[in-house]
Amino acid sequence: MRHFLEELEGLQKRLLEMGGLVESAIHDSVVSLTEKDEERARKVLFNEARINQMEIEVDDLVTRLLALHQPMAGDLRLLTSALKINNDLERMGDLAVNIVERSLSLLKGPPVKPLIDIPQMARLAESMVHRSLDAFVKRDAELARGVLLSDDAVDELRDTIYHELVGFMEQDPPSISRCLDLVFVARNLERIADHATNIAEDVLFLIKGIDVRHHAESRS
Amino acid sequence: MTLRSPIFRKLLLSSFLLIIGTVVVLDYFLTRYTASREVRTVEQLLASQARILAGDLPSVREEDLQDWARRAAGRAESRITVIERGGKVLADSQHDPETMENHAGRPEVRAALEGRLGTSIRHSATLDRDLLYLALPATGGGRPPSGLILRVAVPLQEVAESIAEVRWSILRASLLAALLALVAAYFFSRSFTRRIRQVQSFAEGLVNARFPESLPPGPEDELGALSKSLTNVAGQLRDMVQRLSLEGARREAILSSMVEGVLAVDHELCVTFCNKAFARAVGADWPVPERLPVLELVRDPAFLNMLTSTLVKGELLRERIQLAAAAGRLFEVQAAPLEAPSRRGAIALLHDVTDVERLERVRSDFVANVSHELRTPLAAIQGYAETLLNGALEDSENNRRFVEIIRSHAIRLNSIASDLLVLSELESGQPAPSSEEISVLEVVQAAMCSVGSEAKVRNVAIHCGDLSDCRIAGHRIRLEQALVNLLDNAVKFNRLGGEVWIRTGQSPEKEMRIEVEDNGIGIPSDDLPRIFERFYRVDKARSRDVGGTGLGLSIVKHAVERMGGKVAVESRLGKGTKFSLIFPNL
């Protein structure tokens, strides 16, 4: 029994470590864009492999724990939430890589416009990711709900950026490819924020969830 | 209470056994001795009786023996028997001698036959009691031995009775003594037990780190010495505990008051110590739970790698890390190995250098900006001068124009230089020129005059709001310069037909406020904290177009602050900006 608890602790640590890597990747990807920092961009690409590897490790660990121990109630919720969070984290890592690719492309040319809204959006998204992971660590429902509420602001910003860039593209056709890169960056940031809300939802389920057994019974 | 004490029971029981044992042994031997003494006394009595009677015996004729025996027995109050040498009983005071058997075998008779005095105690079947027999040969009176044995006998009943009496008195006396001894034993045991229990409970108190009142010293014996030693030990323990807790409290106070964050982890990367500053920096609750994995506190891979590196390689590391847990603030992190007695650990020190870094960046930006600002007009001057020297001097259409361009650039360089001087003087902290009492209204009007023409050219209207006059202490020229800069910005960063308002008045907190508000292009919220930096521009292109030096707002900030005031700004991109200068009242 103690062995199982130790394994659960290890699983949580793994997820947190992965979360840290993903947070760092997102931050670096945005900085590489705003500061035109090629080295940071390369760093994100380099670390991507580790994030993917960790996703596989976490999946394996959870599967093994489910098979060996057939946990119930709270432990079972933890394991299923872990699978989902694992997935969301890996996707966020991919999105950070996408941002970096756009950033590397943008590095080559002149700036389209002063970047004001994108850094703002990035700050919001990073905050949501950070808070969702904190909510997971502390099992804090308030914090998780706060993340869900923040999503609207991010969506709004994406629309604002989109319209502004459309305006630029209409006025200055040669800038279209660079503007499109920025539009994609904004979209990636918005999706990162969505994954953060997913994690927040998983945390809420973990804390307050329905007993999974009852669900299965009522279905059958 | 005391009865339950095992040692009390032991003491009491052993005293009890000792006393009883002594009494019993004493009684036994005393009684035996007394009994034998009694018997000996009777023996002696009988012996003297017998001797007396034996002296008479030879003169008695054989046929008178029986009568003589009876009479003598009556007088002596004992049984008298006469036995001849062969053992035949010749006379007996209580029985018919014919019926009595031969007594030669009797021990006392045998002894008498040998010429000695013989005694024996026997139980007489006929009489059913113990009798003491004493026999001796009848000699004496100078007559030849007659060969007769005289035997005297008394029942031991009386003896037994007197022995019994003696025994009873001995018993009574010893019981009394035993009782007294037991009572004494009881009290002694109780007081001794009490002293032992005092020492015991004191020692128990020490074990549980309670420091009870010191032991009463009591009598000067080994137990007393033990009490004294224990009291000493207690005193030393108490001092040591006090000293340790004082040290601990001092250490805790130091660590808690530190501005730098301190984190210590063990070999498994679990937190062994975390001070308040660290918890606050990473947004965690303090105190941190025991043995919390570091990952639950800080997730930053850079930080974790530093800790792991130090732990594994045991080397000192120093890096600047931006912590997501601290809202992106920059920290100088120092990690060092912790040589704990058992296993390795690591300690990390966090020092917030966000502001330091910003200042460094501002300084390097400033240097870059200054050289850039200076280079452009200088390049133009050099260029035009060379053009003139290369023949344009003779070009009467353009030569004058070129020189005028050179002059305007020189003027621009001059104004940059003088602005820089003003700034450096403001920042140098040199004592301000003596401050005077200023009429705010006058200064505002003067500033409006300066900016008036520019405003007309750009079609921007300046409105005066509520202009109640007040007086503040300050430097007139500086204040006017600050207001000119603000008005200038309000007009230049505006659109055609834009508006500017100036208001002065008292705030509810008894402060003097001057507000300059416009509905111009506004300032992005990102740039808002930085607009007072030297040479900082939101939109470089536009600012240079309108002929700014980039130093205007820096001058405003420093001038106002030198006069003891504050400057505040609110702005919305695309809507407008409002600057507020706040001065304490005179």
Side-chain angles (χ1 to χ4, degrees), chain B residues 142-430:
Chain B
R143 302 210 181 125
S146 55
L148 291 175
I149 309 288
L150 179 68
R151 192 182 75 175
V152 187
V154 289
L156 285 179
Q157 177 127 337
E158 287 177 18
V159 176
E161 280 170 5
S162 67
I163 288 177
E165 247 181 66
V166 169
R167 188 184 277 139
W168 267 116
S169 8
I170 292 180
L171 198 67
R172 275 201 304 275
S174 52
L175 273 178
L176 188 64
L179 203 69
L180 288 173
L182 272 176
V183 167
Y186 173 81
F187 280 111
F188 171 72
S189 302
R190 209 171 71 157
S191 96
F192 194 73
T193 303
R194 187 176 297 141
R195 286 178 71 203
I196 289 187
R197 284 174 76 88
Q198 268 177 351
V199 172
Q200 179 212 6
S201 73
F202 187 82
E204 249 168 37
L206 282 187
V207 163
N208 296 332
R210 287 183 281 111
F211 298 109
E213 295 297 316
S214 57
L215 282 174
E220 287 288 327
D221 58 1
E222 284 90 332
L223 212 55
L226 179 64
S227 306
K228 222 182 280 179
S229 302
L230 269 179
T231 310
N232 278 345
V233 167
Q236 285 177 11
L237 259 180
R238 185 179 21 231
D239 287 342
M240 185 157 61
V241 166
Q242 232 170 17
R243 199 177 49 237
L244 280 175
S245 72
L246 205 68
E247 271 180 33
R250 202 178 298 141
R251 218 192 331 258
E252 183 62 41
I254 292 176
L255 285 167
S256 287
S257 323
M258 275 172 77
V259 169
E260 291 85 357
V262 178
L263 179 80
V265 297
D266 63 14
H267 61 281
E268 286 177 348
L269 284 180
C270 291
V271 175
T272 53
F273 176 80
C274 173
N275 76 341
K276 244 186 237 170
F278 189 93
R280 215 173 326 140
V282 301
D285 292 323
W286 189 84
V288 160
E290 280 274 313
R291 303 222 10 118
L292 189 73
V294 147
L295 265 167
E296 296 202 10
L297 211 55
V298 182
R299 294 191 287 273
D300 284 68
F303 182 76
L304 292 171
N305 286 340
M306 254 186 106
L307 276 182
T308 313
S309 219
T310 300
L311 211 60
V312 163
K313 297 189 206 151
E315 55 188 16
L316 268 121
L317 293 172
R318 181 198 282 233
E319 272 176 44
R320 287 200 175 180
I321 297 178
Q322 216 174 358
L323 287 181
R329 289 185 80 78
L330 188 71
F331 290 89
E332 170 121 338
V333 182
Q334 291 182 46
L338 203 61
E339 289 296 338
S342 42
R343 303 280 286 270
R344 266 254 183 92
I347 188 164
L349 212 73
L350 281 191
H351 191 85
D352 190 336
V353 296
T354 321
D355 295 330
V356 170
E357 161 100 347
R358 196 170 60 85
L359 274 171
E360 286 170 5
R361 217 168 357 114
V362 163
R363 183 172 306 132
S364 63
D365 278 354
F366 173 68
V367 170
N369 275 330
V370 167
S371 50
H372 185 80
E373 293 296 320
L374 295 179
R375 197 177 321 137
T376 321
L378 282 172
I381 292 175
Q382 185 177 346
Y384 280 107
E386 276 172 3
T387 309
L388 282 168
L389 288 171
N390 285 338
L393 264 175
E394 278 75 43
D395 178 354
S396 56
E397 271 186 32
N398 288 314
N399 52 9
R400 199 175 175 81
R401 193 166 60 85
F402 286 177
V403 172
E404 274 168 3
I405 290 174
I406 289 177
R407 190 179 73 154
S408 77
H409 275 295
I411 291 175
R412 174 111 191 273
L413 272 175
N414 211 349
S415 58
I416 291 179
S418 68
D419 275 357
L420 275 174
L421 264 173
V422 164
L423 253 187
S424 110
E425 190 194 328
L426 282 171
E427 287 177 347
S428 71
Q430 272 169 18

Side-chain angles (χ1 to χ4, degrees), chain A residues 35-83:
Chain A
E35 314 257 316
K36 295 182 172 328
D37 190 339
E38 189 170 338
E39 202 179 300
R40 290 242 199 180
R42 302 256 170 249
K43 183 177 153 209
V44 173
L45 294 174
F46 183 74
N47 286 333
E48 160 75 353
R50 176 80 187 120
I51 294 177
N52 289 341
Q53 185 195 9
M54 287 194 85
E55 191 212 5
I56 297 174
E57 285 172 10
V58 168
D59 266 348
D60 283 347
L61 179 58
V62 170
T63 313
R64 191 159 59 81
L65 288 176
L66 282 171
L68 279 179
H69 299 276
Q70 285 133 25
M72 295 293 163
D75 292 339
L76 181 59
R77 286 204 298 276
L78 176 58
L79 287 177
T80 52
S81 303
L83 279 178

